Amino acid sequence: AHPQRLSLALNYSVFYSDYLNQPDRGLLIAKTEYKSGIDKLDDLPEDSYKDAASHLRLLQDNIRMWEKIIAEAEVEASESYVDASSDLRSPQNQDQLETI
């Protein structure tokens, strides 16, 4: 739960999510370090505690944001799958499939 480790984890998770476009990987890193940091937070001296708590809040904010983004992307993907499958069943497409 050292503040520098949490800061590095925060930046690393943002790098994966925002720059490599892998929010699921960024989320995994953030969740892992958040859990580890919370477990060790009470063992820190007061000056480190404040910095660590600040980084943990930022990690928590990112976790919530990425969970929402991932959930929305999954809903969008499932909706586009349903749309695509219903398009295949349209009468116009059935005529095209019968001629093949």
Side-chain angles (χ1 to χ4, degrees):
H2 193 277
Q4 289 176 343
R5 179 185 170 109
L6 292 171
S7 176
L8 181 60
L10 177 64
N11 288 319
Y12 193 53
S13 63
V14 168
F15 174 74
Y16 265 96
S17 180
D18 295 353
Y19 294 100
L20 297 181
N21 198 25
Q22 297 179 15
D24 52 336
R25 177 78 173 161
L27 178 62
L28 177 64
I29 293 166
K31 280 184 169 183
T32 302
E33 292 303 320
Y34 180 81
K35 183 177 179 343
S36 176
I38 286 292
D39 291 343
K40 299 174 184 172
L41 189 61
D42 291 333
D43 299 335
L44 294 174
E46 188 174 341
D47 58 333
S48 294
Y49 179 93
K50 289 178 183 179
D51 289 338
S54 174
H55 295 310
L56 286 168
R57 277 191 296 279
L58 292 171
L59 280 167
Q60 186 178 41
D61 291 345
N62 285 350
I63 290 168
R64 288 183 182 137
M65 177 181 62
W66 292 328
E67 285 176 336
K68 183 178 177 184
I69 288 169
I70 290 169
E72 288 172 354
E74 289 172 353
V75 167
E76 187 176 304
S78 69
E79 287 174 353
S80 67
Y81 175 76
V82 169
D83 289 345
S85 64
S86 64
D87 286 345
L88 291 175
R89 290 190 212 115
S90 72
Q92 181 183 20
N93 286 335
Q94 288 299 323
D95 292 340
Q96 292 174 356
L97 289 174
E98 289 174 4
T99 60
I100 295 178

